[in-house]
Amino acid sequence: MTQDEMKKMVAEAALDYVETGTVIGIGTGSTANHFIDSLAGIKNKIDGTVASSRTSAERLAAHGIPVLELNNVSEISVYVDGADESTRNLHLIKGGGGALTREKIVAAVSHKFVCIADASKLVDVLGAFPLPVEVIPMARSYVARELVKRGGQPVYREGFTTDNGNIILDVHNLKIMEPVKLEEDLNNIAGVVTVGIFAKRPADVLLLGAEDGVKKLT
Ligand code: 5RP
């Protein structure tokens, strides 16, 4: 089975978490795209969706799935999204696709966060995947110096602007032993919009696609 087939398999498994007559939060990336495509088959069951990126909103709309403004929605029953890394505690690194800020907002609003990924995303310690940090453009050099002080090697993501008009620094060489603490610390650097550690609000369920089927971690 290819990595993409595993992503499709977990995306389909996540349909079990879709509750009739509710609003569903939608992530960003290739695994989330599979979920959007699967959701199209049961679109009449739901009231609508809130998307974590313009790209996902366009894909949803192309399927005729209603996309709502978060400000017009009071509750999201479940948020379904991929990840770049996950530990067994369901602490995540996200933001490989650069949508981390809106992803963190939609995850915060949602009652349940179901993370869908192929088995290669499961790690013992976060940080082998470079940690994405969304930064206000004028703060780029300052934030980069602060990240170096903390032992990271920030790399500017060339030619990329987030949906919020900001830049991304991908931080290499971090071994994240205390994800909650580092998430709080990095979020407090002036100029940082969002750090791609999802530990203060981890996933509630992790569905992992492997050769022998879908594994569920909670
Ligand atoms: C986007 C994300 C994605 O969930 C993450 O990059 C995983 O992507 P994929 O499903 O393509 O492997 O955080 O900002």
Side-chain angles (χ1 to χ4, degrees), residues 89-164:
N89 296 331
L90 311 196
H91 293 153
L92 313 173
I93 283 186
K94 291 186 45 54
L100 60 162
T101 299
R102 293 185 186 204
E103 291 172 344
K104 205 172 264 199
I105 294 168
V106 183
V109 176
S110 301
H111 289 294
K112 185 173 273 186
F113 177 2
V114 176
C115 183
I116 50 177
D118 67 90
S120 71
K121 305 288 182 75
L122 188 65
V123 297
D124 290 328
V125 178
L126 298 176
F129 187 92
L131 176 67
V133 181
E134 180 166 353
V135 176
I136 300 284
M138 71 171 286
R140 185 181 84 196
S141 299
Y142 167 69
V143 172
R145 289 195 295 275
E146 290 297 311
L147 292 167
V148 169
K149 278 186 202 166
R150 289 158 174 82
Q153 268 190 348
V155 175
Y156 173 52
R157 200 180 289 186
E158 290 280 352
F160 184 85
T161 305
T162 69
D163 283 353
N164 314 306

Side-chain angles (χ1 to χ4, degrees), residues 45-95:
K45 196 179 153 181
I46 58 170
D47 281 357
T49 58
V50 171
S52 62
S53 64
R54 289 192 189 128
T55 307
S56 290
E58 282 164 15
R59 196 177 187 99
L60 288 158
H63 280 297
I65 302 173
V67 182
L68 309 170
E69 285 291 326
L70 180 59
N71 285 321
N72 297 331
V73 166
S74 54
E75 278 189 279
I76 299 175
S77 58
V78 64
Y79 176 55
V80 180
D81 194 4
D84 300 301
E85 285 184 345
S86 176
T87 64
R88 283 172 183 76
N89 296 331
L90 311 196
H91 293 153
L92 313 173
I93 283 186
K94 291 186 45 54

Side-chain angles (χ1 to χ4, degrees), residues 28-43:
T28 299
S30 56
T31 321
N33 281 346
H34 282 304
F35 179 69
I36 293 170
D37 297 345
S38 301
L39 190 65
I42 57 162
K43 64 182 176 191

